Amino acid sequence: MKIRDLEKGKNIIVYDLGKSEHSEGMTIVGRVIELEYNEDGKNTATIQSVPFQRYTVTDDNYFDYWKDYIESKTERLSENGITVDKKHFDNIDEEHFHHKARVEAMHNAIEETRGYVNEYLSNDVQQRKRKDMVNSPSHYNRGKIEAIVIIEQIASAYPIKVALSIGNTVKYLIRAPFKNGVEDLKKAQWYLNRAIDNWDVK
């Protein structure tokens, strides 16, 4: 590819920017912002990379359009049996790809942080579950009103000597379908019988 083949505004990847006898140069991705055609054949392109670094590319450099580079990589992956849909690469901000090492490092840091956060949240969820089993167990919470409120309302209307038994009756009736089923219904029946037996006791 030559400078005359480039279009302004397109992204390119330069594989050997700054190449010399002592260095292989560096790989840079940038957007073509200027094209200069000289009569002596020494054409140049100025590319802008992130963060706003400008580089001069000549016909002596080895470069491709970024999109072609990505497509060649996805085709190579496909040939090796890994299916990669090229359309996923169409929306990538191409200017940022020369920061691949930074992106990978950030990705690794994010994944590590995500691990810590998930571990913390997992522990936090366990603590909340333990606390909820004391303060607000799920088998006593149906609808908008907690069971304890209903139990207190109903039991407070009864004489003190049977209020506890009535409260327990209501408690077991409320939780039966969500916890122990028939066993809770039998407990409710036992407490109701106790309330009946103690109703007239002086």
Side-chain angles (χ1 to χ4, degrees):
M1 177 172 251
K2 297 292 184 188
I3 298 295
R4 287 204 177 268
D5 300 326
L6 295 178
E7 291 180 48
K8 207 170 175 183
K10 297 281 186 176
N11 289 309
I12 64 170
I13 179 168
V14 184
Y15 302 100
D16 60 354
L17 198 64
K19 183 176 181 178
S20 69
E21 62 183 277
H22 303 290
S23 169
E24 292 180 11
M26 60 184 170
T27 302
I28 297 288
V29 175
R31 186 177 308 278
V32 177
I33 59 170
E34 274 182 45
L35 291 168
E36 188 177 318
Y37 305 111
N38 296 312
E39 290 185 22
D40 60 2
K42 297 194 184 229
N43 303 322
T44 62
T46 303
I47 63 170
Q48 182 169 311
S49 185
V50 176
F52 308 109
Q53 295 292 319
R54 291 185 177 202
Y55 302 96
T56 301
V57 181
T58 68
D59 283 323
D60 294 332
N61 292 113
Y62 176 52
F63 55 90
D64 284 318
Y65 277 119
W66 175 248
K67 189 172 182 177
D68 294 340
Y69 169 78
I70 288 297
E71 285 179 0
S72 74
K73 292 296 182 191
T74 57
E75 287 168 6
R76 186 175 307 137
L77 288 172
S78 296
E79 289 168 9
N80 290 333
I82 300 170
T83 304
V84 177
D85 190 348
K86 291 178 194 170
K87 72 181 180 184
H88 294 298
F89 291 97
D90 291 343
N91 297 325
I92 293 173
D93 184 3
E94 298 167 352
E95 289 183 359
H96 292 86
F97 265 82
H98 74 284
H99 292 294
K100 184 178 177 184
R102 285 188 196 160
V103 170
E104 287 176 359
M106 285 191 312
H107 175 74
N108 292 340
I110 289 168
E111 288 304 312
E112 187 176 346
T113 302
R114 182 177 288 139
Y116 292 135
V117 169
N118 287 340
E119 183 180 339
Y120 170 78
L121 290 177
S122 173
N123 290 340
D124 191 45
V125 167
Q126 293 301 322
Q127 289 172 355
R128 277 185 275 141
K129 281 183 181 175
R130 282 192 291 276
K131 185 176 181 184
D132 286 347
M133 289 307 292
V134 172
N135 295 324
S136 188
S138 61
H139 51 273
Y140 289 128
N141 289 310
R142 295 291 174 238
K144 295 181 179 179
I145 302 173
E146 285 197 40
I148 190 70
V149 174
I150 296 169
I151 293 166
E152 287 172 348
Q153 287 287 321
I154 293 172
S156 67
Y158 285 85
I160 194 75
K161 59 187 171 186
V162 295
L164 177 64
S165 295
I166 295 296
N168 280 327
T169 302
V170 174
K171 172 180 79 172
Y172 286 113
L173 287 173
I174 289 172
R175 83 178 202 178
F178 309 107
K179 193 165 183 195
N180 299 324
V182 174
E183 181 183 330
D184 281 344
L185 291 176
K186 288 180 180 178
K187 288 179 183 178
Q189 186 177 30
W190 187 88
Y191 277 105
L192 183 59
N193 289 337
R194 184 171 173 82
I196 292 168
D197 290 345
N198 289 326
W199 188 268
D200 290 329
V201 175
K202 294 192 182 205

Short mmCIF file of all heavy atoms in Angstrom, two decimals, residues 26-68:
data_model
loop_
_atom_site.label_atom_id
_atom_site.label_comp_id
_atom_site.label_asym_id
_atom_site.label_seq_id
_atom_site.Cartn_x
_atom_site.Cartn_y
_atom_site.Cartn_z
N MET A 26 7.83 0.94 15.75
CA MET A 26 6.67 0.62 16.60
C MET A 26 5.42 0.55 15.75
O MET A 26 5.38 1.09 14.64
CB MET A 26 6.52 1.66 17.70
CG MET A 26 6.32 3.07 17.22
SD MET A 26 6.26 4.19 18.64
CE MET A 26 6.31 5.76 17.80
N THR A 27 4.44 -0.12 16.27
CA THR A 27 3.16 -0.23 15.59
C THR A 27 2.22 0.81 16.16
O THR A 27 2.05 0.92 17.37
CB THR A 27 2.57 -1.64 15.79
OG1 THR A 27 3.50 -2.61 15.29
CG2 THR A 27 1.25 -1.80 15.05
N ILE A 28 1.62 1.58 15.25
CA ILE A 28 0.73 2.68 15.65
C ILE A 28 -0.54 2.60 14.83
O ILE A 28 -0.50 2.29 13.64
CB ILE A 28 1.40 4.06 15.38
CG1 ILE A 28 2.65 4.24 16.23
CG2 ILE A 28 0.44 5.21 15.61
CD1 ILE A 28 2.39 4.44 17.70
N VAL A 29 -1.66 2.90 15.45
CA VAL A 29 -2.93 3.04 14.75
C VAL A 29 -3.33 4.49 14.85
O VAL A 29 -3.24 5.10 15.92
CB VAL A 29 -4.03 2.14 15.37
CG1 VAL A 29 -5.37 2.41 14.70
CG2 VAL A 29 -3.65 0.69 15.26
N GLY A 30 -3.75 5.05 13.73
CA GLY A 30 -4.17 6.44 13.76
C GLY A 30 -5.04 6.79 12.57
O GLY A 30 -5.10 6.06 11.58
N ARG A 31 -5.70 7.93 12.67
CA ARG A 31 -6.58 8.43 11.62
C ARG A 31 -5.78 9.35 10.69
O ARG A 31 -5.04 10.21 11.17
CB ARG A 31 -7.75 9.19 12.23
CG ARG A 31 -8.81 9.62 11.23
CD ARG A 31 -9.99 10.32 11.88
NE ARG A 31 -10.58 9.56 12.97
CZ ARG A 31 -11.47 8.57 12.84
NH1 ARG A 31 -11.86 8.21 11.65
NH2 ARG A 31 -11.95 7.95 13.89
N VAL A 32 -5.95 9.15 9.41
CA VAL A 32 -5.26 9.99 8.42
C VAL A 32 -5.91 11.37 8.46
O VAL A 32 -7.10 11.52 8.21
CB VAL A 32 -5.36 9.39 7.00
CG1 VAL A 32 -4.71 10.32 5.98
CG2 VAL A 32 -4.75 8.00 6.96
N ILE A 33 -5.11 12.39 8.82
CA ILE A 33 -5.66 13.75 8.89
C ILE A 33 -5.10 14.67 7.79
O ILE A 33 -5.71 15.69 7.50
CB ILE A 33 -5.43 14.38 10.29
CG1 ILE A 33 -3.96 14.44 10.64
CG2 ILE A 33 -6.23 13.63 11.34
CD1 ILE A 33 -3.66 15.26 11.88
N GLU A 34 -3.95 14.29 7.22
CA GLU A 34 -3.36 15.09 6.13
C GLU A 34 -2.69 14.17 5.14
O GLU A 34 -2.07 13.18 5.51
CB GLU A 34 -2.28 16.04 6.67
CG GLU A 34 -2.77 17.37 7.16
CD GLU A 34 -1.61 18.24 7.63
OE1 GLU A 34 -0.59 18.32 6.92
OE2 GLU A 34 -1.75 18.81 8.71
N LEU A 35 -2.83 14.52 3.86
CA LEU A 35 -2.11 13.80 2.81
C LEU A 35 -1.34 14.83 2.00
O LEU A 35 -1.89 15.88 1.63
CB LEU A 35 -3.09 13.06 1.89
CG LEU A 35 -3.82 11.88 2.53
CD1 LEU A 35 -4.96 11.40 1.63
CD2 LEU A 35 -2.85 10.74 2.78
N GLU A 36 -0.08 14.56 1.75
CA GLU A 36 0.75 15.49 0.97
C GLU A 36 1.42 14.70 -0.16
O GLU A 36 2.14 13.74 0.08
CB GLU A 36 1.82 16.12 1.86
CG GLU A 36 2.59 17.22 1.18
CD GLU A 36 3.59 17.88 2.11
OE1 GLU A 36 3.25 18.13 3.29
OE2 GLU A 36 4.71 18.12 1.64
N TYR A 37 1.10 15.13 -1.38
CA TYR A 37 1.67 14.48 -2.56
C TYR A 37 2.74 15.40 -3.14
O TYR A 37 2.46 16.54 -3.48
CB TYR A 37 0.59 14.20 -3.60
CG TYR A 37 -0.58 13.41 -3.04
CD1 TYR A 37 -1.84 13.99 -2.88
CD2 TYR A 37 -0.42 12.08 -2.66
CE1 TYR A 37 -2.89 13.26 -2.37
CE2 TYR A 37 -1.48 11.35 -2.15
CZ TYR A 37 -2.72 11.95 -2.00
OH TYR A 37 -3.77 11.23 -1.49
N ASN A 38 3.96 14.91 -3.25
CA ASN A 38 5.07 15.70 -3.78
C ASN A 38 5.44 15.19 -5.17
O ASN A 38 5.35 13.99 -5.45
CB ASN A 38 6.29 15.60 -2.85
CG ASN A 38 5.99 16.21 -1.49
OD1 ASN A 38 5.46 17.31 -1.39
ND2 ASN A 38 6.30 15.47 -0.44
N GLU A 39 5.91 16.11 -6.00
CA GLU A 39 6.29 15.74 -7.35
C GLU A 39 7.50 14.81 -7.37
O GLU A 39 7.67 14.02 -8.29
CB GLU A 39 6.56 17.00 -8.18
CG GLU A 39 5.28 17.76 -8.48
CD GLU A 39 5.52 18.94 -9.39
OE1 GLU A 39 6.52 18.97 -10.13
OE2 GLU A 39 4.66 19.84 -9.37
N ASP A 40 8.31 14.90 -6.37
CA ASP A 40 9.50 14.04 -6.33
C ASP A 40 9.16 12.61 -5.87
O ASP A 40 10.04 11.76 -5.74
CB ASP A 40 10.59 14.65 -5.45
CG ASP A 40 10.13 14.83 -4.00
OD1 ASP A 40 8.99 14.45 -3.67
OD2 ASP A 40 10.92 15.36 -3.20
N GLY A 41 7.85 12.35 -5.61
CA GLY A 41 7.43 11.01 -5.23
C GLY A 41 7.54 10.72 -3.74
O GLY A 41 7.22 9.62 -3.30
N LYS A 42 7.99 11.69 -2.95
CA LYS A 42 8.12 11.49 -1.50
C LYS A 42 6.83 11.96 -0.82
O LYS A 42 6.81 12.98 -0.16
CB LYS A 42 9.35 12.22 -0.97
CG LYS A 42 10.63 11.67 -1.55
CD LYS A 42 11.82 12.15 -0.78
CE LYS A 42 13.04 11.63 -1.53
NZ LYS A 42 13.98 10.99 -0.70
N ASN A 43 5.80 11.18 -1.01
CA ASN A 43 4.49 11.50 -0.45
C ASN A 43 4.47 11.18 1.05
O ASN A 43 5.13 10.26 1.50
CB ASN A 43 3.41 10.71 -1.17
CG ASN A 43 3.42 10.97 -2.66
OD1 ASN A 43 3.65 12.09 -3.11
ND2 ASN A 43 3.19 9.93 -3.44
N THR A 44 3.67 11.95 1.78
CA THR A 44 3.56 11.73 3.22
C THR A 44 2.10 11.78 3.66
O THR A 44 1.27 12.42 3.01
CB THR A 44 4.36 12.77 4.03
OG1 THR A 44 3.83 14.06 3.77
CG2 THR A 44 5.84 12.73 3.72
N ALA A 45 1.84 11.13 4.73
CA ALA A 45 0.52 11.20 5.38
C ALA A 45 0.77 11.51 6.84
O ALA A 45 1.70 10.99 7.45
CB ALA A 45 -0.22 9.88 5.23
N THR A 46 -0.05 12.37 7.40
CA THR A 46 0.02 12.64 8.82
C THR A 46 -1.16 11.92 9.46
O THR A 46 -2.31 12.06 9.02
CB THR A 46 -0.06 14.15 9.12
OG1 THR A 46 0.99 14.80 8.43
CG2 THR A 46 0.05 14.42 10.60
N ILE A 47 -0.85 11.11 10.47
CA ILE A 47 -1.92 10.42 11.19
C ILE A 47 -1.96 10.94 12.62
O ILE A 47 -0.95 11.37 13.16
CB ILE A 47 -1.75 8.88 11.17
CG1 ILE A 47 -0.46 8.45 11.89
CG2 ILE A 47 -1.78 8.36 9.76
CD1 ILE A 47 -0.36 6.95 12.10
N GLN A 48 -3.15 10.95 13.15
CA GLN A 48 -3.31 11.37 14.55
C GLN A 48 -3.75 10.16 15.35
O GLN A 48 -4.71 9.49 15.02
CB GLN A 48 -4.35 12.47 14.67
CG GLN A 48 -4.51 12.97 16.09
CD GLN A 48 -5.32 14.23 16.15
OE1 GLN A 48 -5.06 15.17 15.42
NE2 GLN A 48 -6.32 14.23 17.00
N SER A 49 -2.99 9.89 16.38
CA SER A 49 -3.28 8.77 17.26
C SER A 49 -3.77 9.32 18.58
O SER A 49 -3.71 10.50 18.85
CB SER A 49 -1.99 7.95 17.44
OG SER A 49 -2.26 6.81 18.19
N VAL A 50 -4.28 8.47 19.40
CA VAL A 50 -4.74 8.89 20.73
C VAL A 50 -3.56 8.85 21.67
O VAL A 50 -2.78 7.91 21.62
CB VAL A 50 -5.86 7.94 21.20
CG1 VAL A 50 -6.30 8.27 22.60
CG2 VAL A 50 -7.03 8.02 20.25
N PRO A 51 -3.31 9.73 22.52
CA PRO A 51 -4.05 10.97 22.73
C PRO A 51 -3.44 12.11 21.93
O PRO A 51 -2.45 12.70 22.34
CB PRO A 51 -3.93 11.22 24.23
CG PRO A 51 -2.61 10.61 24.60
CD PRO A 51 -2.38 9.49 23.62
N PHE A 52 -3.95 12.37 20.80
CA PHE A 52 -3.60 13.49 19.93
C PHE A 52 -2.13 13.54 19.55
O PHE A 52 -1.56 14.62 19.39
CB PHE A 52 -4.05 14.82 20.55
CG PHE A 52 -5.50 14.80 20.93
CD1 PHE A 52 -5.89 14.76 22.26
CD2 PHE A 52 -6.48 14.77 19.96
CE1 PHE A 52 -7.23 14.71 22.61
CE2 PHE A 52 -7.82 14.72 20.30
CZ PHE A 52 -8.20 14.69 21.63
N GLN A 53 -1.52 12.40 19.43
CA GLN A 53 -0.14 12.33 18.95
C GLN A 53 -0.19 12.28 17.43
O GLN A 53 -0.97 11.55 16.85
CB GLN A 53 0.57 11.07 19.50
CG GLN A 53 0.74 11.06 20.98
CD GLN A 53 1.72 12.13 21.45
OE1 GLN A 53 2.74 12.35 20.83
NE2 GLN A 53 1.37 12.80 22.54
N ARG A 54 0.69 13.04 16.79
CA ARG A 54 0.75 13.04 15.33
C ARG A 54 2.04 12.39 14.87
O ARG A 54 3.09 12.60 15.46
CB ARG A 54 0.65 14.47 14.80
CG ARG A 54 -0.73 15.05 15.01
CD ARG A 54 -0.87 16.40 14.39
NE ARG A 54 -2.24 16.86 14.59
CZ ARG A 54 -2.83 17.76 13.85
NH1 ARG A 54 -2.17 18.35 12.88
NH2 ARG A 54 -4.07 18.10 14.09
N TYR A 55 1.90 11.61 13.81
CA TYR A 55 3.05 10.92 13.23
C TYR A 55 3.01 11.09 11.72
O TYR A 55 1.94 11.16 11.12
CB TYR A 55 3.00 9.42 13.56
CG TYR A 55 2.97 9.11 15.04
CD1 TYR A 55 1.77 8.87 15.71
CD2 TYR A 55 4.15 9.08 15.78
CE1 TYR A 55 1.75 8.60 17.06
CE2 TYR A 55 4.15 8.81 17.13
CZ TYR A 55 2.94 8.57 17.77
OH TYR A 55 2.93 8.31 19.11
N THR A 56 4.20 11.12 11.13
CA THR A 56 4.32 11.21 9.67
C THR A 56 4.65 9.84 9.12
O THR A 56 5.55 9.15 9.60
CB THR A 56 5.41 12.22 9.28
OG1 THR A 56 5.07 13.49 9.84
CG2 THR A 56 5.51 12.35 7.77
N VAL A 57 3.88 9.45 8.11
CA VAL A 57 4.05 8.16 7.46
C VAL A 57 4.49 8.43 6.02
O VAL A 57 3.97 9.34 5.37
CB VAL A 57 2.72 7.37 7.46
CG1 VAL A 57 2.88 6.01 6.80
CG2 VAL A 57 2.18 7.23 8.88
N THR A 58 5.43 7.63 5.55
CA THR A 58 5.91 7.77 4.16
C THR A 58 5.67 6.48 3.41
O THR A 58 5.26 5.46 3.99
CB THR A 58 7.41 8.11 4.12
OG1 THR A 58 8.13 6.97 4.59
CG2 THR A 58 7.74 9.32 4.98
N ASP A 59 5.95 6.50 2.11
CA ASP A 59 5.82 5.29 1.30
C ASP A 59 6.81 4.21 1.73
O ASP A 59 6.64 3.04 1.38
CB ASP A 59 6.01 5.61 -0.19
CG ASP A 59 4.77 6.27 -0.79
OD1 ASP A 59 3.65 5.88 -0.40
OD2 ASP A 59 4.92 7.16 -1.65
N ASP A 60 7.82 4.59 2.50
CA ASP A 60 8.80 3.62 2.98
C ASP A 60 8.25 2.78 4.14
O ASP A 60 8.81 1.74 4.47
CB ASP A 60 10.08 4.33 3.45
CG ASP A 60 10.80 5.00 2.28
OD1 ASP A 60 10.66 4.51 1.14
OD2 ASP A 60 11.49 6.01 2.53
N ASN A 61 7.18 3.26 4.77
CA ASN A 61 6.58 2.52 5.88
C ASN A 61 5.67 1.42 5.35
O ASN A 61 5.14 1.49 4.24
CB ASN A 61 5.75 3.46 6.77
CG ASN A 61 6.61 4.44 7.52
OD1 ASN A 61 6.54 5.64 7.26
ND2 ASN A 61 7.40 3.96 8.46
N TYR A 62 5.49 0.41 6.20
CA TYR A 62 4.58 -0.68 5.88
C TYR A 62 3.30 -0.41 6.66
O TYR A 62 3.29 -0.35 7.88
CB TYR A 62 5.23 -2.02 6.30
CG TYR A 62 4.34 -3.21 6.12
CD1 TYR A 62 3.69 -3.46 4.91
CD2 TYR A 62 4.14 -4.10 7.16
CE1 TYR A 62 2.88 -4.57 4.74
CE2 TYR A 62 3.34 -5.22 7.01
CZ TYR A 62 2.69 -5.44 5.80
OH TYR A 62 1.89 -6.54 5.64
N PHE A 63 2.17 -0.24 5.94
CA PHE A 63 0.90 0.09 6.59
C PHE A 63 -0.28 -0.50 5.83
O PHE A 63 -0.16 -0.86 4.65
CB PHE A 63 0.74 1.61 6.74
CG PHE A 63 0.90 2.38 5.46
CD1 PHE A 63 -0.19 2.65 4.65
CD2 PHE A 63 2.14 2.85 5.06
CE1 PHE A 63 -0.05 3.36 3.47
CE2 PHE A 63 2.30 3.57 3.90
CZ PHE A 63 1.19 3.82 3.09
N ASP A 64 -1.40 -0.60 6.52
CA ASP A 64 -2.66 -1.09 5.95
C ASP A 64 -3.80 -0.28 6.54
O ASP A 64 -3.65 0.35 7.59
CB ASP A 64 -2.93 -2.55 6.37
CG ASP A 64 -2.09 -3.55 5.62
OD1 ASP A 64 -1.93 -3.40 4.40
OD2 ASP A 64 -1.60 -4.50 6.28
N TYR A 65 -4.96 -0.36 5.88
CA TYR A 65 -6.14 0.18 6.51
C TYR A 65 -6.46 -0.69 7.74
O TYR A 65 -6.30 -1.91 7.71
CB TYR A 65 -7.36 0.17 5.57
CG TYR A 65 -7.38 1.36 4.64
CD1 TYR A 65 -7.32 1.20 3.27
CD2 TYR A 65 -7.49 2.65 5.16
CE1 TYR A 65 -7.36 2.29 2.43
CE2 TYR A 65 -7.52 3.75 4.32
CZ TYR A 65 -7.45 3.56 2.96
OH TYR A 65 -7.47 4.64 2.13
N TRP A 66 -6.86 -0.03 8.80
CA TRP A 66 -7.16 -0.73 10.04
C TRP A 66 -8.23 -1.80 9.83
O TRP A 66 -8.13 -2.92 10.32
CB TRP A 66 -7.60 0.29 11.10
CG TRP A 66 -8.04 -0.35 12.37
CD1 TRP A 66 -9.28 -0.38 12.88
CD2 TRP A 66 -7.22 -1.08 13.29
NE1 TRP A 66 -9.31 -1.07 14.06
CE2 TRP A 66 -8.05 -1.51 14.33
CE3 TRP A 66 -5.88 -1.42 13.33
CZ2 TRP A 66 -7.58 -2.26 15.40
CZ3 TRP A 66 -5.42 -2.15 14.40
CH2 TRP A 66 -6.27 -2.57 15.42
N LYS A 67 -9.27 -1.46 9.10
CA LYS A 67 -10.37 -2.39 8.87
C LYS A 67 -9.87 -3.66 8.17
O LYS A 67 -10.26 -4.77 8.52
CB LYS A 67 -11.46 -1.72 8.04
CG LYS A 67 -12.71 -2.52 7.94
CD LYS A 67 -13.81 -1.71 7.28
CE LYS A 67 -15.07 -2.54 7.25
NZ LYS A 67 -16.18 -1.83 6.70
N ASP A 68 -8.97 -3.50 7.19
CA ASP A 68 -8.41 -4.67 6.49
C ASP A 68 -7.60 -5.52 7.45
O ASP A 68 -7.63 -6.76 7.40
CB ASP A 68 -7.52 -4.23 5.31
CG ASP A 68 -8.32 -3.53 4.22
OD1 ASP A 68 -9.56 -3.71 4.18
OD2 ASP A 68 -7.71 -2.80 3.43
#
